[in-house]
């Protein structure tokens, strides 16, 4: 077993990372940042997003584990006081893994095609201009969109930006993508559904921007630069993210604890 640690730079996190590294080494587990098969992220969901993008090239061969040092996270199961238990579980048990769908974005420019993979979502915005785009689903015309932008999210991303945009919370074992609107304009020329759309694995969403100023494409909270985007395809990736699961946290309990509080 080769373990990589990814952590943010908050003092509380650094202390946990140090302690965990010590316990891993003491139990004979090797730390290997270049070719890990287990990636432990320490921090919040944002830290796990960074870990995911860093180890994306190894995605099929790596299992993730999230330790949270802030408030409860969606990708982070373990608390900082459970480190010894975590190391013991890693060492002794053949853990069960759970896998969740990822979003693939194909960006077509005039002379090249680029691919991105998102764990939470990708959103496209017009910058300070409105975004005008034709929206197709599975190769068929669906609507003409005009507004601030559109967001396409994975099931695990449904509790993040997508939820703030009025998207439904989707159970992470469902293989689906959800498109939500960001401030759509509705008039005689542009008419949008004005509701989130959820698509199955054999379908994809295509956006064809009408005017092509420098659009803003944001993947998991990071801007990716593109000029002259002619088309964007959003589909469920062939790859999935794998998590080691030693203990089971009921997804809806996590949703309740995060958004409603313990007593509701
Ligand atoms: P950030 O601005 O630090 O994070 C925004 C918040 O989203 C943080 O509280 C983060 O949790 C939480 N979060 C991230 N993934 C989540 C998930 N799958 N379910 C529930 N909450 C989640 O930026 P960041 O930490 O780099 O995260 C980037 C993400 O922020 C983007 O992918 C996007 O989903 C989200 N975001 C949300 C809005 C919005 O809701 N209006 C706007 C922009 C971005 P931690 O504190 O544990 O990191
Ligand atoms: Mn964050």
């Amino acid at each position: 077993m080769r373990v990589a640690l990814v952590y943010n730079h908050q003092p509380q996190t650094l202390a946990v990372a140090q302690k965990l590294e010590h316990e891993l080494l003491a139990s004979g587990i090797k730390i290997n940042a270049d070719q890990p098969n287990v990636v432990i992220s320490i921090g919040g969901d944002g830290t796990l997003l960074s870990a995911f993008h860093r180890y994306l090239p190894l995605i099929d061969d790596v299992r993730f584990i999230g330790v949270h040092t802030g408030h409860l996270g969606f990708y982070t199961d373990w608390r900082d006081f459970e480190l010894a238990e975590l190391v013991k579980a890693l060492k002794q048990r053949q853990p069960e893994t759970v896998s969740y769908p990822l979003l693939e974005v194909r960006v077509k420019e005039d002379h090249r095609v680029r691919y991105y993979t998102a764990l939470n979502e990708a959103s496209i915005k017009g910058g300070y201009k409105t975004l005008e785009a034709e929206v197709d689903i599975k190769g068929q015309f669906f609507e003409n969109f005009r507004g601030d932008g559109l967001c396409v999210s994975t099931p695990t991303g449904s509790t993040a930006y997508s939820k703030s945009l009025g998207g439904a919370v989707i159970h992470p074992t469902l293989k689906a993508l959800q498109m939500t609107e960001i401030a759509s304009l509705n008039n005689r020329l542009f008419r949008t559904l004005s509701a989130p759309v959820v698509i199955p694995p054999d379908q994809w969403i295509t956006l064809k921007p009408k005017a092509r100023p420098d659009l803003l494409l944001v993947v998991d909270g990071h801007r990716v630069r593109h000029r002259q985007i002619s088309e964007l395809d959003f589909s469920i990736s062939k790859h999935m993210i794998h998590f080691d699961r030693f203990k089971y946290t009921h997804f809806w309990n996590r949703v309740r604890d995060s958004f409603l509080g313990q007593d509701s």
Side-chain angles (χ1 to χ4, degrees):
M1 191 188 314
R2 301 174 306 276
V3 175
L5 300 180
V6 177
Y7 42 90
N8 63 32
H9 290 282
Q10 286 168 13
Q12 190 195 354
T13 303
L14 291 174
V16 173
Q18 238 175 18
K19 191 161 172 240
L20 181 57
E21 182 166 352
H22 184 79
E23 300 213 4
L24 287 168
L25 292 173
S27 70
I29 295 173
K30 290 193 176 64
I31 307 279
N32 184 328
D34 297 325
Q35 289 293 322
N37 44 23
V38 175
V39 173
I40 305 182
S41 113
I42 308 157
D45 286 331
T47 319
L48 193 117
L49 286 174
S50 314
F52 164 75
H53 284 280
R54 176 157 173 202
Y55 291 104
L56 187 55
L58 306 175
I59 196 71
D60 295 326
D61 304 314
V62 148
R63 293 128 50 194
F64 288 85
I65 294 174
V67 177
H68 67 98
T69 52
H71 50 86
L72 177 73
F74 276 86
Y75 296 116
T76 50
D77 293 289
W78 291 86
R79 304 296 310 272
D80 49 11
F81 53 78
E82 297 173 312
L83 298 182
E85 203 187 320
L86 166 57
V87 173
K88 204 170 139 202
L90 250 184
K91 185 103 184 140
Q92 293 184 344
R93 278 191 281 156
Q94 187 72 325
E96 192 188 330
T97 59
V98 273
S99 305
Y100 301 131
L102 299 168
L103 163 69
E104 182 182 284
V105 190
R106 178 177 177 268
V107 183
K108 219 166 119 189
E109 292 179 302
D110 288 337
H111 300 292
R112 60 170 192 176
V113 176
R114 287 272 171 106
Y115 291 88
Y116 299 95
T117 306
L119 176 54
N120 269 351
E121 78 287 296
S123 58
I124 179 91
K125 296 176 188 176
Y128 69 94
K129 294 268 195 188
T130 53
L131 168 74
E132 285 188 37
E134 178 185 316
V135 180
D136 298 354
I137 300 180
K138 205 181 175 185
Q140 301 285 314
F141 173 76
F142 183 67
E143 65 183 9
N144 275 318
F145 180 88
R146 188 173 176 204
D148 280 4
L150 287 160
C151 168
V152 180
S153 134
T154 63
T156 52
S158 70
T159 46
Y161 190 26
S162 177
K163 181 174 175 294
S164 304
L165 297 171
V169 171
I170 295 188
H171 195 279
T173 54
L174 272 177
K175 268 202 146 192
L177 291 180
Q178 175 169 217
M179 177 175 75
T180 44
E181 301 181 347
I182 312 172
S184 60
L185 273 159
N186 273 279
N187 53 37
R188 270 183 274 176
L189 281 180
F190 292 90
R191 182 141 304 278
T192 66
L193 185 66
S194 301
V197 166
V198 178
I199 62 158
D202 62 330
Q203 303 199 349
W204 66 98
I205 294 167
T206 307
L207 299 188
K208 298 174 185 165
K210 294 265 157 79
R212 296 195 271 151
D214 282 353
L215 298 171
L216 179 59
L217 176 63
V218 182
V219 177
D220 288 342
H222 289 278
R223 174 177 194 171
V224 289
R225 288 188 179 274
H226 275 282
R227 287 164 178 269
Q228 302 292 313
I229 294 177
S230 59
E231 221 172 278
L232 294 133
D233 283 315
F234 301 87
S235 56
I236 296 179
S237 170
K238 294 192 293 289
H239 306 281
M240 296 184 92
I241 185 169
H242 312 295
F243 284 91
D244 260 354
R245 187 169 70 176
F246 303 102
K247 54 180 188 180
Y248 182 66
T249 316
H250 192 295
F251 175 71
W252 298 111
N253 284 349
R254 196 177 300 210
V255 171
R256 192 197 59 219
D257 289 352
S258 295
F259 297 116
L260 301 170
Q262 305 275 353
D263 304 325
S264 8

